[in-house]
Amino acid sequence: MAGQAPPEPKVDRRRDAERTRADILDVATEEFANRGYSGARVDEIAARTRTTKRMIYYYFEGKEQLYLAVLERAYAEIRAAERAVDVDHLDPVAAVRRIAEVTFDHHEAHPAFIKLVGVENAQQAEHMTHVARLVDLNSSAVDVLRGVLDRGQQDGAFRTDVDALDIHMMISAYCCFRVANRHTFNALFGRDLLDPTTRRHYRTMLAEMVVGYLGRR
């Protein structure tokens, strides 16, 4: 019919759907991180994304499914950053340093991730256990670290009585503490752990701590 607008291309509709879904996840991440699972409101997420509660349920079915999608994306992002490290072309010491630095950088840049981890721990990981992919995502990160440790042990650079999961815990604990306890630490000791002037110091400190622990005994 003359004057009738041509139908919207399917690819554009798909991109719009992907953008809408990403926008919902962005806002939901902040809402769950700041208010926790129980305190977060889907109505508030809908209002901030200029969509409707019905539309959110269309994409995610319900509040719990939305929360699980937020968790999955948050963990996928840090694991993707770790996998992007080209450890195969670095010597073991440099590779471990780089993995620690990537975690340090990511956690500092994504404080909502740290809050989400706290929220889920407060719930005894009640929701996380429903997402099987999270186990695979995090296992792959430990596998990369294990491969680096194996090379370092074969080269004689690392002690042999170390466990990849322990090193992962060491790196994660340091990086999480620095972000999660920023305000209480500052209130008690008068030191802002995220002060830009001390960033290089703490980043180097982490790498030295990990490499020092791994050194031959």
Side-chain angles (χ1 to χ4, degrees):
M1 182 180 296
Q4 185 175 5
E8 183 182 0
K10 289 184 179 180
V11 65
D12 289 341
R13 290 199 297 270
R14 185 169 62 250
R15 287 173 180 168
D16 286 343
E18 290 171 354
R19 281 195 294 266
T20 299
R21 192 177 190 278
D23 289 343
I24 292 170
L25 285 174
D26 288 342
V27 173
T29 296
E30 293 183 19
E31 183 73 7
F32 285 120
N34 292 328
R35 299 179 183 275
Y37 178 77
S38 299
R41 295 289 178 265
V42 177
D43 287 329
E44 178 65 19
I45 296 169
R48 290 180 58 193
T49 54
R50 297 183 181 180
T51 186
T52 64
K53 191 173 183 179
R54 182 177 179 181
M55 182 63 72
I56 291 176
Y57 286 164
Y58 169 78
Y59 283 106
F60 299 99
E61 297 183 8
K63 180 180 178 180
E64 183 176 18
Q65 289 82 356
L66 174 58
Y67 175 68
L68 293 176
V70 164
L71 277 180
E72 184 173 346
R73 188 180 72 158
Y75 273 96
E77 287 174 348
I78 173 59
R79 299 292 87 96
E82 291 168 341
R83 288 196 302 271
V85 179
D86 188 9
V87 294
D88 293 335
H89 292 85
L90 294 172
D91 69 75
V93 172
V96 166
R97 282 181 175 274
R98 187 65 192 126
I99 291 171
E101 291 167 351
V102 165
T103 305
F104 183 97
D105 295 344
H106 174 275
H107 287 14
E108 179 182 76
H110 298 83
F113 171 72
I114 307 303
K115 291 180 181 180
L116 285 170
V117 173
V119 167
E120 189 60 9
N121 272 293
Q123 301 289 327
Q124 290 81 49
E126 174 186 350
H127 302 92
M128 184 179 289
T129 55
H130 299 310
V131 185
R133 183 167 179 261
L134 284 177
V135 175
D136 295 334
L137 279 171
N138 290 278
S139 295
S140 66
V142 177
D143 289 341
V144 170
L145 189 53
R146 184 175 293 113
V148 173
L149 295 184
D150 287 345
R151 287 198 291 122
Q153 291 166 348
Q154 292 170 8
D155 293 348
F158 295 157
R159 54 195 288 187
T160 57
D161 60 338
V162 293
D163 179 77
L165 198 56
D166 287 343
I167 303 304
H168 176 75
M169 177 185 66
M170 178 186 292
I171 294 171
S172 295
Y174 182 101
C175 296
C176 285
F177 181 95
R178 180 170 169 266
V179 178
N181 295 282
R182 174 189 186 184
H183 299 294
T184 52
F185 198 89
N186 193 29
L188 292 172
F189 303 109
R191 179 176 295 180
D192 183 357
L193 296 175
L194 267 62
D195 185 338
T197 64
T198 59
R199 183 179 190 278
R200 182 176 180 180
H201 164 74
Y202 285 123
R203 196 169 185 261
T204 302
M205 180 178 168
L206 169 63
E208 293 292 335
M209 178 177 70
V210 176
V211 171
Y213 175 75
L214 287 172
R216 293 188 64 183
R217 300 287 176 88

